[in-house]
Amino acid sequence: MAPLDAVLGWDEDSNAEAYSAFTRDFPMYSATSRDLAHRARLADSRLVVDLCGGAGATAEAILALAPATARVLSLDAAAAMQRVGRRTVSDPRLTWVTAPAEDLAAHIDMGSADAVVCNSAIWKTDVPRVFAAVRRVLRPGGRLVFNIGGGFAGVRHPEEEAARGTLSLNSLIHQIATRDHGYAPPVAEPVPPKLSLAALTAHLAVAGMNVLDTEVVAQHGTMAEKRAWLSIPLFARPEGDFTHAQRMRILADAYALTTPQTPTVTSWLVVTAQRPGEER
């Protein structure tokens, strides 16, 4: 659950600005975006879709790999994110469309896209509808490449598994909030994955897409990067009746107990799918 004072989520200026700053200051989104773009095989592409493209970090990676003649369409439902993106990513090949992912097929001709890339956001959509829309806009042989955080997909890379038991910044936040603010953390109970690989495979099959590859990868970061992520209002912790200022004070106290360059590991499930047909 997002904090109560996150207000309008991704379509709120403070979240959009903080998120965009994070993508510029830390390597997580540029690294994951480059990985997805490489898997999409963009060398001969003419039109590539950056689905749920936010402020344009993934579009930049696509533009760097696509031919000079290719067009990139970045589609996102949050106008605030795209306002930031238009200011920070300038390329005549890039078109911004403000619309939900489910409405993709209303904005692109059938069979005209060589690839659709979605970084970190597919789980927030109506997945069956989105996969059907992607199948409609992809040319035969065109690829859909996306990733999902390991916690949402119910997977864990061995490197993250090996790090279990070490004190995380989230754990420290809960400890300080409990000690200093009377916070009562929710009882930890097993939570089924929001979107397991089995569910994804089934949804893709119904949409008429073939799974080419799946991989659980490790993304390496630092405690400083984790602090910056938790400073974005939408992700600030702990949950409950705290103001954002209170959460930032708790975060500062927790971060003071860590070392900025302490390595962190997160897991991601990466899926490459394809519309059946001959590749160009």
Side-chain angles (χ1 to χ4, degrees):
M1 183 179 70
L4 297 178
D5 57 2
V7 193
L8 298 177
W10 292 119
D11 208 13
E12 204 279 322
D13 288 334
S14 63
N15 282 313
E17 294 286 355
Y19 172 85
S20 180
F22 177 88
T23 66
R24 295 192 302 271
D25 294 340
F26 294 93
M28 184 184 81
Y29 275 101
S30 59
T32 53
S33 294
R34 285 194 301 270
D35 176 58
L36 296 177
H38 276 292
R39 294 171 190 256
R41 294 188 179 178
L42 304 178
D44 298 319
S45 58
R46 300 172 185 171
L47 174 63
V48 182
V49 177
D50 175 19
L51 191 64
C52 304
T58 303
E60 287 186 296
I62 293 169
L63 288 162
L65 288 178
T69 55
R71 295 184 298 118
V72 177
L73 185 146
S74 185
L75 183 142
D76 197 282
M81 294 284 279
Q82 293 198 328
R83 282 195 297 271
V84 176
R86 287 187 173 94
R87 194 179 71 234
T88 57
V89 185
S90 178
D91 192 303
R93 295 175 293 164
L94 177 59
T95 300
W96 302 88
V97 174
T98 307
E102 293 81 3
D103 293 347
L104 172 65
H107 299 278
I108 300 179
D109 292 338
M110 182 172 63
S112 64
D114 296 286
V116 175
V117 178
C118 184
N119 193 349
S120 312
I122 202 78
W123 65 272
K124 295 186 291 185
T125 70
D126 183 335
V127 173
R129 286 181 58 198
V130 168
F131 284 171
V134 169
R135 167 64 171 75
R136 182 175 176 82
V137 304
L138 279 176
R139 62 167 174 79
R143 290 189 168 200
L144 165 65
V145 186
F146 61 92
N147 58 10
I148 302 177
F152 295 122
V155 298
R156 192 186 298 271
H157 191 274
E159 290 186 37
E160 185 182 7
E161 188 68 38
R164 291 186 73 180
T166 58
L167 209 54
S168 69
L169 193 53
N170 275 327
S171 297
L172 289 169
I173 286 170
H174 283 167
Q175 286 183 15
I176 290 170
T178 300
R179 183 192 70 194
D180 298 343
H181 300 272
Y183 174 67
V187 178
E189 296 180 356
V191 178
K194 294 179 182 292
L195 202 56
S196 67
L197 178 56
L200 287 167
T201 301
H203 290 319
L204 286 165
V206 169
M209 302 275 287
N210 296 330
V211 176
L212 297 181
D213 183 63
T214 64
E215 184 180 1
V216 179
V217 302
Q219 177 66 30
H220 301 92
T222 64
M223 201 64 74
E225 182 180 53
K226 184 65 174 178
R227 180 194 188 182
W229 180 254
L230 292 172
S231 298
I232 300 172
L234 192 61
F235 301 122
R237 296 294 182 264
E239 299 86 350
D241 191 19
F242 293 91
T243 67
H244 184 64
Q246 287 174 321
R247 291 190 179 98
M248 291 303 95
R249 286 195 294 273
I250 294 169
L251 174 60
D253 290 343
Y255 183 67
L257 300 176
T258 71
T259 302
Q261 295 308 310
T262 296
T264 60
V265 182
T266 55
S267 302
W268 294 82
L269 172 65
V270 184
V271 179
T272 303
Q274 185 178 51
R275 176 180 171 178
E278 289 189 21
E279 295 196 46
R280 198 163 51 212

